[in-house]
Amino acid sequence: LVHITYCGLERARPARRKSADRLRCELGADVTLETGSKGAFDIRVDGRLAYSKAQTGRLPNADQVVELLRRA
């Protein structure tokens, strides 16, 4: 199970949907999305934190998200 917590800003909606759809399609991942606080972007795989914008200071692009999950 892949759980993505993302910023609730409207302008972020297309990017988060695109990432979730790509993970489902390419990796067959079971993806859930949750609105978080302003600036949030965390990815958890089976409950384990795989990526945190708070730790890196940046958002990953869709290719980076797919690669993170391939390694997880």
Side-chain angles (χ1 to χ4, degrees):
L1 175 64
V2 177
H3 185 81
I4 301 174
T5 304
Y6 57 86
C7 173
L9 293 176
E10 186 65 29
R11 68 174 185 244
R13 181 175 287 175
R16 68 180 175 252
R17 282 192 180 159
K18 182 178 179 180
S19 291
D21 289 345
R22 186 167 173 193
L23 294 174
R24 290 179 185 118
C25 181
E26 288 187 29
L27 303 177
D30 181 10
V31 181
T32 61
L33 299 172
E34 175 186 13
T35 302
S37 61
K38 181 179 178 184
F41 190 85
D42 293 334
I43 300 173
R44 293 188 177 276
V45 179
D46 296 328
R48 184 182 53 82
L49 186 63
Y51 185 87
S52 174
K53 179 184 168 208
Q55 292 176 352
T56 64
R58 63 180 194 81
L59 285 170
N61 63 40
D63 291 334
Q64 292 167 326
V65 171
V66 169
E67 185 59 30
L68 279 168
L69 295 181
R70 282 193 172 128
R71 290 186 274 144

